[in-house]
Amino acid sequence: MYDFKIAAADKATLYRDLASALESLVADEPDAIANMANAAALIWESLPDLNWAGFYRNVGGELVVGPFQGRPACIRIPFGQGVCGAAAATLQVQRIDDVHAFEGHIACDAASNSELVVPIVEDGQLIAVLDLDSPKVARFDAEDEAGCVKLAEILARAL
Ligand code: SME
């Protein structure tokens, strides 16, 4: 049984504990779907104010939904479309305070107001994106971005 209790008072500690839990969850497991599924569940359990947490995978140059927590979501997203597609096309983190002000945002859940999308890249190739949505405007700050980049680095080695 895994029983991670991650509830730190400050974000630096929260993300350090989260990274350490993720490292141990994916250690020695080569199956990418299993690792994405456990990562989505761990993030969902550990970070407050999320309404979606999960992955879109690069399947032949198109994003296809992967393991996630939250409401059923859009299945396929072309590179360059929406926040996830922008992250996939540019390999740059997209941290969006107000998704309604983002040209081309794809609304999978009307409750979403802010979004953080982190590309997972190995040897210059996009493997997947980690996508977090929140009903709170400007839910994600620079510390969330840095913490999730670290999680993406761990996942790049595990997917
Ligand atoms: N809002 C995303 C689509 C994926 S859902 O948020 C799960 C986008 O604009 O790419």
Side-chain angles (χ1 to χ4, degrees), residues 85-128:
T90 62
L91 301 183
Q92 300 294 313
V93 173
Q94 303 292 311
R95 180 156 58 89
I96 309 300
D97 285 347
D98 178 3
V99 294
H100 306 292
F102 186 96
E103 174 91 29
H105 165 248
I106 300 164
C108 293
D109 182 345
S112 295
N113 280 313
S114 61
E115 184 160 4
L116 177 65
V117 183
V118 182
I120 300 171
V121 178
E122 195 177 24
D123 297 330
Q125 301 297 310
L126 182 79
I127 305 168

mmCIF file of all heavy atoms in Angstrom, residues 85-128:
data_model
loop_
_atom_site.group_PDB
_atom_site.id
_atom_site.type_symbol
_atom_site.label_atom_id
_atom_site.label_comp_id
_atom_site.label_asym_id
_atom_site.label_seq_id
_atom_site.Cartn_x
_atom_site.Cartn_y
_atom_site.Cartn_z
ATOM 1 N N GLY A 85 -1.705 22.282 -26.578
ATOM 2 C CA GLY A 85 -1.100 22.263 -27.911
ATOM 3 C C GLY A 85 0.008 23.298 -28.045
ATOM 4 O O GLY A 85 0.992 23.068 -28.761
ATOM 5 N N ALA A 86 -0.145 24.422 -27.361
ATOM 6 C CA ALA A 86 0.913 25.453 -27.374
ATOM 7 C C ALA A 86 2.160 24.920 -26.670
ATOM 8 O O ALA A 86 3.287 25.112 -27.149
ATOM 9 C CB ALA A 86 0.415 26.729 -26.694
ATOM 10 N N ALA A 87 1.980 24.243 -25.552
ATOM 11 C CA ALA A 87 3.127 23.655 -24.839
ATOM 12 C C ALA A 87 3.812 22.603 -25.707
ATOM 13 O O ALA A 87 5.040 22.521 -25.758
ATOM 14 C CB ALA A 87 2.660 23.037 -23.519
ATOM 15 N N ALA A 88 3.001 21.807 -26.411
ATOM 16 C CA ALA A 88 3.559 20.736 -27.257
ATOM 17 C C ALA A 88 4.331 21.327 -28.436
ATOM 18 O O ALA A 88 5.394 20.836 -28.802
ATOM 19 C CB ALA A 88 2.433 19.838 -27.755
ATOM 20 N N ALA A 89 3.787 22.379 -29.042
ATOM 21 C CA ALA A 89 4.407 22.954 -30.239
ATOM 22 C C ALA A 89 5.694 23.709 -29.910
ATOM 23 O O ALA A 89 6.619 23.740 -30.716
ATOM 24 C CB ALA A 89 3.418 23.872 -30.950
ATOM 25 N N THR A 90 5.737 24.326 -28.734
ATOM 26 C CA THR A 90 6.880 25.187 -28.388
ATOM 27 C C THR A 90 7.854 24.530 -27.412
ATOM 28 O O THR A 90 8.962 25.032 -27.215
ATOM 29 C CB THR A 90 6.387 26.486 -27.725
ATOM 30 O OG1 THR A 90 5.693 26.140 -26.503
ATOM 31 C CG2 THR A 90 5.426 27.249 -28.638
ATOM 32 N N LEU A 91 7.430 23.453 -26.775
ATOM 33 C CA LEU A 91 8.189 22.800 -25.692
ATOM 34 C C LEU A 91 8.432 23.764 -24.534
ATOM 35 O O LEU A 91 9.388 23.598 -23.771
ATOM 36 C CB LEU A 91 9.517 22.204 -26.191
ATOM 37 C CG LEU A 91 9.422 21.150 -27.294
ATOM 38 C CD1 LEU A 91 10.809 20.591 -27.637
ATOM 39 C CD2 LEU A 91 8.491 20.001 -26.884
ATOM 40 N N GLN A 92 7.575 24.756 -24.409
ATOM 41 C CA GLN A 92 7.673 25.731 -23.320
ATOM 42 C C GLN A 92 6.507 25.540 -22.350
ATOM 43 O O GLN A 92 5.380 25.277 -22.782
ATOM 44 C CB GLN A 92 7.591 27.166 -23.861
ATOM 45 C CG GLN A 92 8.673 27.536 -24.860
ATOM 46 C CD GLN A 92 10.056 27.565 -24.215
ATOM 47 O OE1 GLN A 92 10.243 28.135 -23.155
ATOM 48 N NE2 GLN A 92 11.005 26.921 -24.874
ATOM 49 N N VAL A 93 6.800 25.737 -21.065
ATOM 50 C CA VAL A 93 5.739 25.705 -20.049
ATOM 51 C C VAL A 93 4.715 26.797 -20.361
ATOM 52 O O VAL A 93 5.084 27.916 -20.738
ATOM 53 C CB VAL A 93 6.333 25.957 -18.643
ATOM 54 C CG1 VAL A 93 5.224 26.096 -17.607
ATOM 55 C CG2 VAL A 93 7.289 24.840 -18.262
ATOM 56 N N GLN A 94 3.452 26.462 -20.213
ATOM 57 C CA GLN A 94 2.380 27.442 -20.356
ATOM 58 C C GLN A 94 1.736 27.613 -18.981
ATOM 59 O O GLN A 94 1.148 26.671 -18.447
ATOM 60 C CB GLN A 94 1.326 26.960 -21.362
ATOM 61 C CG GLN A 94 1.876 26.636 -22.738
ATOM 62 C CD GLN A 94 2.364 27.856 -23.482
ATOM 63 O OE1 GLN A 94 1.661 28.866 -23.570
ATOM 64 N NE2 GLN A 94 3.593 27.795 -23.996
ATOM 65 N N ARG A 95 1.893 28.796 -18.402
ATOM 66 C CA ARG A 95 1.270 29.086 -17.091
ATOM 67 C C ARG A 95 0.284 30.217 -17.334
ATOM 68 O O ARG A 95 0.677 31.363 -17.563
ATOM 69 C CB ARG A 95 2.338 29.463 -16.065
ATOM 70 C CG ARG A 95 1.757 29.780 -14.701
ATOM 71 C CD ARG A 95 2.778 29.586 -13.589
ATOM 72 N NE ARG A 95 3.972 30.388 -13.736
ATOM 73 C CZ ARG A 95 4.123 31.621 -13.256
ATOM 74 N NH1 ARG A 95 3.127 32.213 -12.596
ATOM 75 N NH2 ARG A 95 5.257 32.269 -13.431
ATOM 76 N N ILE A 96 -0.996 29.872 -17.295
ATOM 77 C CA ILE A 96 -2.044 30.786 -17.744
ATOM 78 C C ILE A 96 -2.927 31.165 -16.550
ATOM 79 O O ILE A 96 -3.648 30.319 -16.005
ATOM 80 C CB ILE A 96 -2.912 30.112 -18.846
ATOM 81 C CG1 ILE A 96 -2.027 29.523 -19.955
ATOM 82 C CG2 ILE A 96 -3.927 31.112 -19.400
ATOM 83 C CD1 ILE A 96 -1.149 30.523 -20.682
ATOM 84 N N ASP A 97 -2.876 32.432 -16.171
ATOM 85 C CA ASP A 97 -3.652 32.903 -15.015
ATOM 86 C C ASP A 97 -5.160 32.877 -15.275
ATOM 87 O O ASP A 97 -5.946 32.618 -14.366
ATOM 88 C CB ASP A 97 -3.244 34.335 -14.653
ATOM 89 C CG ASP A 97 -1.898 34.369 -13.946
ATOM 90 O OD1 ASP A 97 -1.404 33.292 -13.530
ATOM 91 O OD2 ASP A 97 -1.343 35.477 -13.811
ATOM 92 N N ASP A 98 -5.542 33.217 -16.521
ATOM 93 C CA ASP A 98 -6.964 33.261 -16.872
ATOM 94 C C ASP A 98 -7.132 32.622 -18.252
ATOM 95 O O ASP A 98 -6.823 33.248 -19.271
ATOM 96 C CB ASP A 98 -7.460 34.712 -16.890
ATOM 97 C CG ASP A 98 -8.920 34.813 -17.305
ATOM 98 O OD1 ASP A 98 -9.560 33.760 -17.532
ATOM 99 O OD2 ASP A 98 -9.425 35.942 -17.437
ATOM 100 N N VAL A 99 -7.607 31.387 -18.257
ATOM 101 C CA VAL A 99 -7.690 30.666 -19.532
ATOM 102 C C VAL A 99 -8.662 31.320 -20.505
ATOM 103 O O VAL A 99 -8.534 31.149 -21.713
ATOM 104 C CB VAL A 99 -8.085 29.178 -19.329
ATOM 105 C CG1 VAL A 99 -6.987 28.428 -18.584
ATOM 106 C CG2 VAL A 99 -9.420 29.044 -18.618
ATOM 107 N N HIS A 100 -9.605 32.095 -19.977
ATOM 108 C CA HIS A 100 -10.590 32.728 -20.869
ATOM 109 C C HIS A 100 -9.958 33.843 -21.692
ATOM 110 O O HIS A 100 -10.507 34.258 -22.706
ATOM 111 C CB HIS A 100 -11.775 33.241 -20.045
ATOM 112 C CG HIS A 100 -12.356 32.146 -19.188
ATOM 113 N ND1 HIS A 100 -13.023 31.065 -19.703
ATOM 114 C CD2 HIS A 100 -12.286 31.928 -17.845
ATOM 115 C CE1 HIS A 100 -13.371 30.237 -18.723
ATOM 116 N NE2 HIS A 100 -12.935 30.745 -17.589
ATOM 117 N N ALA A 101 -8.781 34.297 -21.246
ATOM 118 C CA ALA A 101 -8.060 35.331 -22.001
ATOM 119 C C ALA A 101 -7.028 34.706 -22.946
ATOM 120 O O ALA A 101 -6.322 35.427 -23.649
ATOM 121 C CB ALA A 101 -7.357 36.279 -21.023
ATOM 122 N N PHE A 102 -6.949 33.378 -22.972
ATOM 123 C CA PHE A 102 -5.974 32.684 -23.833
ATOM 124 C C PHE A 102 -6.650 32.341 -25.151
ATOM 125 O O PHE A 102 -7.609 31.558 -25.191
ATOM 126 C CB PHE A 102 -5.480 31.406 -23.145
ATOM 127 C CG PHE A 102 -4.380 30.687 -23.882
ATOM 128 C CD1 PHE A 102 -3.043 30.904 -23.546
ATOM 129 C CD2 PHE A 102 -4.672 29.798 -24.911
ATOM 130 C CE1 PHE A 102 -2.024 30.242 -24.223
ATOM 131 C CE2 PHE A 102 -3.658 29.134 -25.589
ATOM 132 C CZ PHE A 102 -2.338 29.358 -25.245
ATOM 133 N N GLU A 103 -6.125 32.932 -26.227
ATOM 134 C CA GLU A 103 -6.688 32.702 -27.568
ATOM 135 C C GLU A 103 -6.647 31.209 -27.903
ATOM 136 O O GLU A 103 -5.571 30.599 -27.878
ATOM 137 C CB GLU A 103 -5.834 33.495 -28.569
ATOM 138 C CG GLU A 103 -6.183 33.277 -30.010
ATOM 139 C CD GLU A 103 -7.229 34.277 -30.494
ATOM 140 O OE1 GLU A 103 -7.260 35.389 -29.938
ATOM 141 O OE2 GLU A 103 -7.980 33.922 -31.407
ATOM 142 N N GLY A 104 -7.803 30.612 -28.157
ATOM 143 C CA GLY A 104 -7.843 29.214 -28.583
ATOM 144 C C GLY A 104 -7.903 28.209 -27.448
ATOM 145 O O GLY A 104 -7.832 27.000 -27.692
ATOM 146 N N HIS A 105 -8.040 28.701 -26.221
ATOM 147 C CA HIS A 105 -8.163 27.776 -25.090
ATOM 148 C C HIS A 105 -9.283 26.763 -25.355
ATOM 149 O O HIS A 105 -10.359 27.123 -25.840
ATOM 150 C CB HIS A 105 -8.469 28.563 -23.808
ATOM 151 C CG HIS A 105 -8.956 27.707 -22.683
ATOM 152 N ND1 HIS A 105 -10.247 27.765 -22.201
ATOM 153 C CD2 HIS A 105 -8.326 26.749 -21.971
ATOM 154 C CE1 HIS A 105 -10.374 26.880 -21.219
ATOM 155 N NE2 HIS A 105 -9.234 26.262 -21.053
ATOM 156 N N ILE A 106 -9.006 25.491 -25.042
ATOM 157 C CA ILE A 106 -10.006 24.437 -25.248
ATOM 158 C C ILE A 106 -10.666 24.157 -23.898
ATOM 159 O O ILE A 106 -9.999 23.683 -22.971
ATOM 160 C CB ILE A 106 -9.340 23.156 -25.803
ATOM 161 C CG1 ILE A 106 -8.666 23.466 -27.146
ATOM 162 C CG2 ILE A 106 -10.356 22.041 -25.944
ATOM 163 C CD1 ILE A 106 -7.678 22.405 -27.599
ATOM 164 N N ALA A 107 -11.935 24.477 -23.793
ATOM 165 C CA ALA A 107 -12.635 24.326 -22.510
ATOM 166 C C ALA A 107 -13.187 22.916 -22.379
ATOM 167 O O ALA A 107 -14.248 22.597 -22.919
ATOM 168 C CB ALA A 107 -13.746 25.356 -22.408
ATOM 169 N N CYS A 108 -12.462 22.068 -21.664
ATOM 170 C CA CYS A 108 -12.957 20.706 -21.404
ATOM 171 C C CYS A 108 -13.917 20.725 -20.228
ATOM 172 O O CYS A 108 -14.783 19.869 -20.115
ATOM 173 C CB CYS A 108 -11.797 19.769 -21.095
ATOM 174 S SG CYS A 108 -10.718 19.504 -22.498
ATOM 175 N N ASP A 109 -13.718 21.667 -19.332
ATOM 176 C CA ASP A 109 -14.571 21.782 -18.147
ATOM 177 C C ASP A 109 -14.793 23.276 -17.915
ATOM 178 O O ASP A 109 -13.824 24.027 -17.722
ATOM 179 C CB ASP A 109 -13.864 21.140 -16.943
ATOM 180 C CG ASP A 109 -14.704 21.177 -15.675
ATOM 181 O OD1 ASP A 109 -15.694 21.933 -15.626
ATOM 182 O OD2 ASP A 109 -14.348 20.466 -14.723
ATOM 183 N N ALA A 110 -16.034 23.696 -17.945
ATOM 184 C CA ALA A 110 -16.353 25.125 -17.814
ATOM 185 C C ALA A 110 -15.876 25.685 -16.475
ATOM 186 O O ALA A 110 -15.730 26.900 -16.317
ATOM 187 C CB ALA A 110 -17.855 25.337 -17.954
ATOM 188 N N ALA A 111 -15.611 24.805 -15.515
ATOM 189 C CA ALA A 111 -15.172 25.278 -14.193
ATOM 190 C C ALA A 111 -13.720 25.748 -14.200
ATOM 191 O O ALA A 111 -13.285 26.432 -13.272
ATOM 192 C CB ALA A 111 -15.334 24.168 -13.166
ATOM 193 N N SER A 112 -12.943 25.399 -15.226
ATOM 194 C CA SER A 112 -11.516 25.755 -15.231
ATOM 195 C C SER A 112 -11.313 27.247 -15.464
ATOM 196 O O SER A 112 -11.915 27.829 -16.362
ATOM 197 C CB SER A 112 -10.784 25.001 -16.350
ATOM 198 O OG SER A 112 -10.808 23.622 -16.094
ATOM 199 N N ASN A 113 -10.430 27.837 -14.656
ATOM 200 C CA ASN A 113 -10.094 29.254 -14.838
ATOM 201 C C ASN A 113 -8.609 29.496 -15.032
ATOM 202 O O ASN A 113 -8.232 30.494 -15.651
ATOM 203 C CB ASN A 113 -10.600 30.083 -13.649
ATOM 204 C CG ASN A 113 -12.082 30.378 -13.778
ATOM 205 O OD1 ASN A 113 -12.554 30.792 -14.828
ATOM 206 N ND2 ASN A 113 -12.839 30.112 -12.728
ATOM 207 N N SER A 114 -7.764 28.642 -14.470
ATOM 208 C CA SER A 114 -6.323 28.793 -14.719
ATOM 209 C C SER A 114 -5.728 27.424 -15.020
ATOM 210 O O SER A 114 -6.338 26.386 -14.721
ATOM 211 C CB SER A 114 -5.616 29.474 -13.546
ATOM 212 O OG SER A 114 -5.746 28.724 -12.362
ATOM 213 N N GLU A 115 -4.542 27.438 -15.635
ATOM 214 C CA GLU A 115 -3.983 26.179 -16.148
ATOM 215 C C GLU A 115 -2.462 26.254 -16.170
ATOM 216 O O GLU A 115 -1.883 27.316 -16.450
ATOM 217 C CB GLU A 115 -4.530 25.948 -17.565
ATOM 218 C CG GLU A 115 -4.111 24.644 -18.201
ATOM 219 C CD GLU A 115 -5.042 24.234 -19.355
ATOM 220 O OE1 GLU A 115 -5.960 25.014 -19.704
ATOM 221 O OE2 GLU A 115 -4.850 23.139 -19.898
ATOM 222 N N LEU A 116 -1.844 25.110 -15.884
ATOM 223 C CA LEU A 116 -0.380 24.980 -15.976
ATOM 224 C C LEU A 116 -0.093 23.729 -16.803
ATOM 225 O O LEU A 116 -0.555 22.639 -16.468
ATOM 226 C CB LEU A 116 0.216 24.827 -14.567
ATOM 227 C CG LEU A 116 1.724 24.605 -14.472
ATOM 228 C CD1 LEU A 116 2.497 25.821 -14.988
ATOM 229 C CD2 LEU A 116 2.128 24.315 -13.028
ATOM 230 N N VAL A 117 0.646 23.912 -17.896
ATOM 231 C CA VAL A 117 0.987 22.777 -18.762
ATOM 232 C C VAL A 117 2.503 22.709 -18.896
ATOM 233 O O VAL A 117 3.145 23.692 -19.288
ATOM 234 C CB VAL A 117 0.334 22.892 -20.150
ATOM 235 C CG1 VAL A 117 0.659 21.645 -20.982
ATOM 236 C CG2 VAL A 117 -1.177 23.058 -20.042
ATOM 237 N N VAL A 118 3.057 21.552 -18.542
ATOM 238 C CA VAL A 118 4.517 21.371 -18.554
ATOM 239 C C VAL A 118 4.882 20.264 -19.533
ATOM 240 O O VAL A 118 4.433 19.116 -19.371
ATOM 241 C CB VAL A 118 5.023 21.000 -17.138
ATOM 242 C CG1 VAL A 118 6.545 20.861 -17.142
ATOM 243 C CG2 VAL A 118 4.583 22.037 -16.118
ATOM 244 N N PRO A 119 5.675 20.581 -20.559
ATOM 245 C CA PRO A 119 6.107 19.535 -21.482
ATOM 246 C C PRO A 119 7.038 18.541 -20.797
ATOM 247 O O PRO A 119 7.871 18.928 -19.971
ATOM 248 C CB PRO A 119 6.871 20.297 -22.578
ATOM 249 C CG PRO A 119 6.592 21.733 -22.349
ATOM 250 C CD PRO A 119 6.200 21.904 -20.917
ATOM 251 N N ILE A 120 6.899 17.286 -21.152
ATOM 252 C CA ILE A 120 7.795 16.227 -20.667
ATOM 253 C C ILE A 120 8.629 15.804 -21.869
ATOM 254 O O ILE A 120 8.102 15.255 -22.845
ATOM 255 C CB ILE A 120 6.989 15.049 -20.089
ATOM 256 C CG1 ILE A 120 6.134 15.541 -18.917
ATOM 257 C CG2 ILE A 120 7.920 13.919 -19.663
ATOM 258 C CD1 ILE A 120 5.144 14.517 -18.404
ATOM 259 N N VAL A 121 9.926 16.131 -21.798
ATOM 260 C CA VAL A 121 10.793 16.028 -22.968
ATOM 261 C C VAL A 121 11.998 15.164 -22.620
ATOM 262 O O VAL A 121 12.585 15.303 -21.544
ATOM 263 C CB VAL A 121 11.281 17.440 -23.389
ATOM 264 C CG1 VAL A 121 12.220 17.358 -24.578
ATOM 265 C CG2 VAL A 121 10.094 18.338 -23.707
ATOM 266 N N GLU A 122 12.346 14.268 -23.534
ATOM 267 C CA GLU A 122 13.580 13.504 -23.366
ATOM 268 C C GLU A 122 14.327 13.513 -24.691
ATOM 269 O O GLU A 122 13.742 13.229 -25.744
ATOM 270 C CB GLU A 122 13.288 12.069 -22.921
ATOM 271 C CG GLU A 122 14.552 11.404 -22.395
ATOM 272 C CD GLU A 122 14.308 10.005 -21.882
ATOM 273 O OE1 GLU A 122 13.347 9.365 -22.302
ATOM 274 O OE2 GLU A 122 15.119 9.548 -21.051
ATOM 275 N N ASP A 123 15.611 13.843 -24.632
ATOM 276 C CA ASP A 123 16.458 13.946 -25.827
ATOM 277 C C ASP A 123 15.810 14.843 -26.882
ATOM 278 O O ASP A 123 15.818 14.523 -28.074
ATOM 279 C CB ASP A 123 16.726 12.551 -26.422
ATOM 280 C CG ASP A 123 17.497 11.666 -25.441
ATOM 281 O OD1 ASP A 123 18.283 12.212 -24.647
ATOM 282 O OD2 ASP A 123 17.281 10.445 -25.458
ATOM 283 N N GLY A 124 15.217 15.940 -26.440
ATOM 284 C CA GLY A 124 14.627 16.902 -27.367
ATOM 285 C C GLY A 124 13.287 16.482 -27.936
ATOM 286 O O GLY A 124 12.683 17.233 -28.701
ATOM 287 N N GLN A 125 12.800 15.308 -27.572
ATOM 288 C CA GLN A 125 11.521 14.804 -28.111
ATOM 289 C C GLN A 125 10.425 14.927 -27.055
ATOM 290 O O GLN A 125 10.633 14.540 -25.899
ATOM 291 C CB GLN A 125 11.653 13.321 -28.505
ATOM 292 C CG GLN A 125 12.716 13.029 -29.547
ATOM 293 C CD GLN A 125 12.420 13.712 -30.868
ATOM 294 O OE1 GLN A 125 11.321 13.613 -31.398
ATOM 295 N NE2 GLN A 125 13.406 14.449 -31.376
ATOM 296 N N LEU A 126 9.256 15.418 -27.498
ATOM 297 C CA LEU A 126 8.121 15.509 -26.575
ATOM 298 C C LEU A 126 7.521 14.127 -26.353
ATOM 299 O O LEU A 126 7.136 13.440 -27.302
ATOM 300 C CB LEU A 126 7.043 16.425 -27.160
ATOM 301 C CG LEU A 126 5.841 16.618 -26.229
ATOM 302 C CD1 LEU A 126 6.171 17.626 -25.134
ATOM 303 C CD2 LEU A 126 4.611 17.058 -27.002
ATOM 304 N N ILE A 127 7.430 13.731 -25.081
ATOM 305 C CA ILE A 127 6.807 12.448 -24.732
ATOM 306 C C ILE A 127 5.325 12.671 -24.403
ATOM 307 O O ILE A 127 4.453 11.922 -24.828
ATOM 308 C CB ILE A 127 7.503 11.806 -23.517
ATOM 309 C CG1 ILE A 127 9.003 11.670 -23.764
ATOM 310 C CG2 ILE A 127 6.874 10.463 -23.186
ATOM 311 C CD1 ILE A 127 9.781 11.318 -22.517
ATOM 312 N N ALA A 128 5.083 13.719 -23.627
ATOM 313 C CA ALA A 128 3.726 13.991 -23.133
ATOM 314 C C ALA A 128 3.728 15.399 -22.546
ATOM 315 O O ALA A 128 4.784 16.041 -22.452
ATOM 316 C CB ALA A 128 3.346 12.969 -22.052
#
